[in-house]
Amino acid sequence: MASEPQEVTASPLVKLNNGLTIPQLGLGTFLSDKGLVGEAVKQAIKMGYRHIDCAWVYMNEEEVGSGIDWAINEGICKREDLFITTKLSGSHYNEIKWALNDSLKKLRLDYVDLYLIHLPFEMKNDPTIKSLADLKKEHCIGYNAEKMSKVWSELEQLVSEGLIRSIGVSNFTIKKLEAILKTAKLIPVVNQVEIQAYFQQNKLRSYCKSKGILIQAFNTLGNPGLFKGKLDVEPLLDNAEVKQVCEKHRATPAQVCIAFGLAIGDILIPKSVTESRLRENFKSINLKLDEDDVKRLKSLDKNLRLYTMKAFCDPAGIPYEEFFDVEFDSSYQI
Ligand SMILES: NC(=O)c1ccc[n+]([C@@H]2O[C@H](COP(=O)([O-])OP(=O)(O)OC[C@H]3O[C@@H](n4cnc5c(N)ncnc54)[C@H](OP(=O)(O)O)[C@@H]3O)[C@@H](O)[C@H]2O)c1
C-alpha cells in the first residue's frame, strides 16, 4: 500500500540573487494591531513560520520584536533561522541610518535580513504622525530618480557595514527599477508589490525575472479585512473558480490563493493575527496545485489593483500616473 505523503512542516527556501535564501512563505504584519501582533508572531514561529515582513511605518515593530525575542529565548529558533524584513519609510530618506537603527532597536535585532525602500516616494518627516491614519497627501513630496539612486547607494553602504544582509525595493514599476539599476552596484533582491489572482502584473514579473529580481507579493488573499464590501467584484476568497479548486483539493480559499502564489514562484507574506488562520495559511505549503488549477487561477487576472494608494494619490497628492507609471486602470478606488 502506498504510504501517505509526508506533511511538510517548513516553508520552501528560495535563493536570492546575492546567494542568500528566503523562506518562500512568511508572515505579514501590516494592520496587525498592537496587543495582538506579538502573540501572533509567537504563535507563527511556534508553528514553523521563519520569515516575518515588517515596516517602520506599521508602527508595531516593538511588539513584533518582543515576539521574536520570546521565540529565541524559549529556544524555539535561533536568530539565524529567522528571516526578518523591514522597510525604510519615505519620510526618512535624509536619515536612513537613524531609521534603520530605530527599527533594529524596536525589533531587538542587530541586523535585518532584508531592508526595502517601502515606496519610491519621498514624504515629509512630520513627528506629529503617530499612526498610519495620520499620513496625508500633504505629506507627499514625490518621486525623484536621482534621490532614489542616492538612497539606494546609502543602503548599499549599510549592507557593507553588516546592518542589513540584503536590500530590495517595494512598489517599484519597471520605469523606476530601470532608473535605479542605472547606478546600482547591488541588484535589488526583491520587488515587493501587490500581486493577487485579480492583479497578476505579468509584464512587471517578466521584467523582474530578466534582472534576477524576485517578486515578493502582498495582498495574496485580497485582504478581506480591508477590502471586503468595498469592491464591485466578488472578493477573491469568495470567487467561484477559487472555490472549485478548493473543492477539488479539500482546501480553503486562502490556501488555494497562497498555493497559487507559491506555484508561480512568488515569495508570499499573508497576514493574520488569528491563530487558526496562521495555521491554515501555513499548511498551504502542502497543497500542490496541478497545471489545470494554475491555468484556471491565472485566468482570473482582471488587471484589478486593490491597493490604489488613494491616501497618497490624486487629488492633491502624487498623481496616480506618476505613482504607478500607467494610465489610471482601475475604477475601484478604495
Ligand atoms: N510593501 C507594501 O507597500 C505593502 C502593502 C500592503 C501589504 N504589505 C505586506 O504584505 C502583507 C500581506 O498583505 P495584506 O495584509 O494587505 O493582505 P492579505 O495578507 O491578503 O490579507 C490579510 C487579511 O486577510 C485575513 N486573513 C488571513 N488569513 C485568512 C484566512 N485564512 N481566511 C480568511 N481571512 C484571512 C486577515 O485577517 P486576520 O488578521 O484578522 O486573521 C487580514 O484581514 C502585509 O501584512 C504587509 O506585511 C506590504
Side-chain angles (χ1 to χ4, degrees), residues 57 72 195 229:
V57 84
I72 295 173
I195 302 241

Side-chain angles (χ1 to χ4, degrees), residues 120-122 141-145 148 172 175-176 179-180 318 322:
F121 295 92
E122 188 164 10
I141 297 175
Y143 172 68
N144 178 313
M148 245 21 291
F172 271 52
K175 196 170 155 192
K176 294 185 176 83
I180 215 168
I318 297 160
E322 187 185 325

Side-chain angles (χ1 to χ4, degrees), residues 28-30 53 58 87 118 170-171 192 218-225 237 254 269-274 277 280-281 307 309:
T29 60
F30 176 45
D53 182 76
Y58 299 166
K87 310 186 189 90
H118 201 154
S170 178
N171 296 298
Q192 186 180 114
F218 62 76
N219 203 17
T220 305
L221 309 177
N223 198 336
L237 300 187
I269 43 173
K271 170 263 176 184
S272 180
V273 289
T274 314
R277 288 174 172 171
E280 173 187 334
N281 297 349
Y307 274 93
M309 305 288 182

Side-chain angles (χ1 to χ4, degrees), residues 59 124-132 134-136 139:
M59 304 201 176
K124 286 180 196 148
N125 188 0
D126 177 347
T128 63
I129 296 172
K130 296 281 182 248
S131 79
L132 272 174
D134 298 332
L135 267 178
K136 300 277 181 296
H139 295 114

Side-chain angles (χ1 to χ4, degrees), residues 59-217:
M59 304 201 176
N60 57 10
E61 285 180 310
E62 260 166 4
E63 205 173 309
V64 173
S66 74
I68 294 172
D69 200 47
W70 174 87
I72 295 173
N73 286 333
E74 288 292 307
I76 296 166
C77 63
K78 298 195 190 85
R79 167 64 185 96
E80 55 270 32
D81 301 330
L82 295 173
F83 191 103
I84 311 295
T85 303
T86 194
K87 310 186 189 90
L88 173 71
S89 155
S91 53
H92 294 146
Y93 288 175
N94 297 320
E95 46 201 342
I96 296 175
K97 198 158 182 179
W98 174 87
L100 173 62
N101 278 324
D102 195 53
S103 284
L104 288 172
K105 190 170 87 196
K106 289 174 175 160
L107 291 166
R108 306 191 201 179
L109 301 174
D110 48 21
Y111 70 91
V112 280
D113 297 275
L114 176 60
Y115 201 46
L116 303 179
I117 298 179
H118 201 154
L119 290 169
F121 295 92
E122 188 164 10
M123 314 278 289
K124 286 180 196 148
N125 188 0
D126 177 347
T128 63
I129 296 172
K130 296 281 182 248
S131 79
L132 272 174
D134 298 332
L135 267 178
K136 300 277 181 296
K137 291 167 189 172
E138 304 81 84
H139 295 114
C140 296
I141 297 175
Y143 172 68
N144 178 313
E146 273 177 35
K147 185 80 183 246
M148 245 21 291
S149 293
K150 195 167 163 280
V151 167
W152 189 252
S153 94
E154 282 194 49
L155 296 186
E156 290 174 329
Q157 175 59 29
L158 293 169
V159 173
S160 67
E161 289 177 29
L163 296 172
I164 308 170
R165 293 274 156 96
S166 305
I167 47 176
V169 296
S170 178
N171 296 298
F172 271 52
T173 59
I174 294 177
K175 196 170 155 192
K176 294 185 176 83
L177 282 167
E178 275 171 346
I180 215 168
L181 288 176
K182 278 188 192 154
T183 53
K185 293 191 192 78
L186 298 177
I187 308 288
V189 295
V190 300
N191 185 16
Q192 186 180 114
V193 290
E194 176 175 356
I195 302 241
Q196 31 85 8
Y198 289 159
F199 190 59
Q200 297 183 27
Q201 301 224 56
N202 289 320
K203 248 171 104 178
L204 179 65
R205 172 189 303 285
S206 303
Y207 177 79
C208 286
K209 193 171 179 195
S210 74
K211 301 290 174 193
I213 302 167
L214 293 177
I215 292 285
Q216 189 172 37

